[in-house]
Amino acid sequence: MPLALVTGITGQDGSYLAELLLAKGYEVHGVIRRASTFNTERIDHVYQDPHEPDVRLHLHYGDLTDGSQLARLVRTIEPDEIYNLAAQSHVGVSFQQPEYTGNVDALGTIRLLEAIREAGVDTRFYQAATSEMFGDAPAPQSEDSPFRPRSPYAAAKLYAYWATANYREAYDLFAVSGILFNHEGERRGKTFVTRKITHGVARIVAGLDDALYLGNLDAVRDWGHAQDYVRAMWMMLQADAPVDYVIGTGETHTVREFCDAAFSHVGLDWRDWVRIDPAYYRPTEVDFLQADATRARRDLGWKPEIGFDEMVHRMVVHDLDAEAGLDLERAREQATRLRPSAPPRPTP
Ligand code: NAP
Ligand code: F7E
């Protein structure tokens, strides 16, 4: 039975990856942070009581800022594969916490790579790199595009990317970076723009909010569904050789178009409900991201299966149910009775 160690298992990607690996017969070890509240909501449905027989999911306390614990975990578990998904992953927050973001996202990766090197275990390492590393490089971005990071988050992830490449070359590790473009879904954190919008739609329909405050609506992103992207992570570690890959759909939308798609689902005009709060603008913005994932398609045979419309649909339906207890039909009916409180309409 293959053994995988997953950092960030309680996050969006970690939870989908844990499901995928368990379904493939892996024994999965996940690193969770100690918190005063429960932080395992995304993996509760796959949790197994350690007292039961044949348990294949094991959770360990740890933190990417705690190198000795990471080393202990790698040494004792001796995983066949390590997926380093843990990160302070919010670009906007990284401007407020640049030092912490660097500690976790950049140095945290080095701590893990050092743990592997010192333990001398034969393991394959996946690093969660990001399209944010491209910053304002011309689109579409591929593995050959230049890196021009535009945030402390992107700079930290670039450090981790180069560290991963260096350990591959210096110590002959099977270590790769997946340069993943934005991927979303029903488990996306509610402060990322897509989920903020679908969650906002549900709260407005439920009568809990009368407006949704956003920042830059002009940003263009290449949004896919996280379930497709964790499959790509696994595929990269099954390849014959350690190679970095860009993963994305190639299809782009603005934040404004995402608003339109989400509000239209319940028959609302987003311009009646969305207001601009400059507090959500970033000191430097990444304006246009579009993946050229030709290499992944050619070498790995990876391609996304969940399109933009289906992704938005799933997210809206999920949030309407979770937040308002409504199915789509009843939500649409309820939305016809809503009257906007005359917000200033942002320029379309
Ligand atoms: P996420 O939902 O924010 O999850 C981040 C995970 O990291 C959570 O499990 C979190 O634990 C954990 N974590 C944060 N700080 C930690 C620390 N100091 N020590 C240990 N664990 C820590 O992120 P995601 O969307 O799943 O993304 C997964 C990875 O892919 C991240 O590295 C992200 O930067 C990268 N990435 C994401 C995207 C995307 O569009 N989603 C695209 C490219 C790259 P808690 O649950 O306790 O907070
Ligand atoms: O912002 C704009 C914002 O925070 C997308 C992370 O998973 O993907 C993610 O980073 C765009 C930006 O994602 C709001 O300015 C407008 O242009 O959803 P986001 P991100 O910054 O692209 C990459 C690939 C990662 O690696 C990251 O880990 O939307 N925007 N108004 C807003 N963004 C937020 N969060 N909130 C707003 O109110």
Side-chain angles (χ1 to χ4, degrees), residues 47-325:
Y47 177 77
Q48 297 165 340
D49 187 319
H51 305 99
E52 298 293 320
D54 305 325
V55 170
R56 286 199 290 118
L57 175 66
H58 305 268
L59 301 178
H60 309 267
Y61 284 113
D63 198 295
L64 281 199
T65 59
D66 182 354
S68 59
Q69 168 66 343
L70 293 177
R72 194 162 30 246
L73 290 174
V74 171
R75 208 171 46 240
T76 54
I77 296 167
E78 295 188 43
D80 299 297
E81 297 171 10
I82 298 178
Y83 297 85
N84 183 31
L85 309 186
Q88 190 303 92
S89 71
H90 200 286
V91 175
V93 171
S94 79
F95 287 99
Q96 291 162 42
Q97 294 195 278
E99 184 181 330
Y100 174 74
T101 303
N103 192 4
V104 176
D105 299 10
L107 293 182
T109 307
I110 275 283
R111 291 184 186 104
L112 203 43
L113 286 165
E114 271 296 280
I116 295 168
R117 189 173 75 86
E118 288 188 352
V121 294
D122 183 14
T123 188
R124 294 185 168 206
F125 177 80
Y126 174 88
Q127 168 58 20
T130 164
S131 52
E132 283 294 302
M133 301 187 313
F134 293 123
D136 60 5
Q141 295 92 2
S142 73
E143 295 82 359
D144 300 322
S145 295
F147 295 123
R148 295 183 192 163
R150 300 262 292 166
S151 65
Y153 168 77
K157 283 286 187 176
L158 196 49
Y159 176 102
Y161 167 87
W162 284 120
T164 302
N166 176 241
Y167 274 59
R168 178 169 68 223
E169 291 166 12
Y171 306 115
D172 202 22
L173 294 184
F174 192 111
V176 299
S177 288
I179 307 175
L180 271 51
F181 283 59
N182 298 55
H183 45 280
E184 319 292 316
E186 302 88 312
R187 299 182 196 162
R188 184 59 145 154
K190 290 179 185 133
T191 62
F192 296 97
V193 78
T194 56
R195 186 79 196 281
K196 186 172 168 182
I197 294 166
T198 60
H199 183 244
V201 166
R203 287 185 62 85
I204 287 168
V205 171
L208 298 170
D209 287 338
D210 61 3
L212 173 64
Y213 292 90
L214 297 175
N216 176 19
L217 304 182
D218 294 321
V220 175
R221 289 291 183 274
D222 178 336
W223 281 297
H225 195 285
Q227 270 176 324
D228 281 331
Y229 289 55
V230 299
R231 194 162 35 82
M233 296 175 188
W234 177 79
M235 287 170 122
M236 280 182 222
L237 290 199
Q238 314 313 309
D240 292 337
V243 177
D244 299 330
Y245 288 100
V246 156
I247 298 294
T249 69
E251 183 178 325
T252 57
H253 296 275
T254 59
V255 173
R256 182 181 286 100
E257 285 165 357
F258 195 101
C259 287
D260 189 26
F263 279 84
S264 301
H265 252 78
V266 291
L268 294 177
D269 185 337
W270 68 274
R271 293 171 301 172
D272 289 331
W273 305 95
V274 172
R275 299 180 200 179
I276 300 301
D277 181 348
Y280 295 113
Y281 291 154
R282 295 168 183 179
T284 40
E285 177 62 281
V286 171
D287 294 320
F288 199 107
L289 289 174
Q290 180 183 27
D292 175 355
T294 307
R295 187 185 289 176
R297 184 181 279 253
R298 187 194 61 208
D299 293 2
L300 304 174
W302 179 86
K303 61 176 175 15
E305 285 170 5
I306 303 168
F308 179 80
D309 292 338
E310 186 186 344
M311 182 186 75
V312 177
H313 176 77
R314 281 197 196 189
M315 292 174 72
V316 172
V317 167
H318 175 273
D319 283 343
L320 285 170
D321 181 36
E323 200 65 33

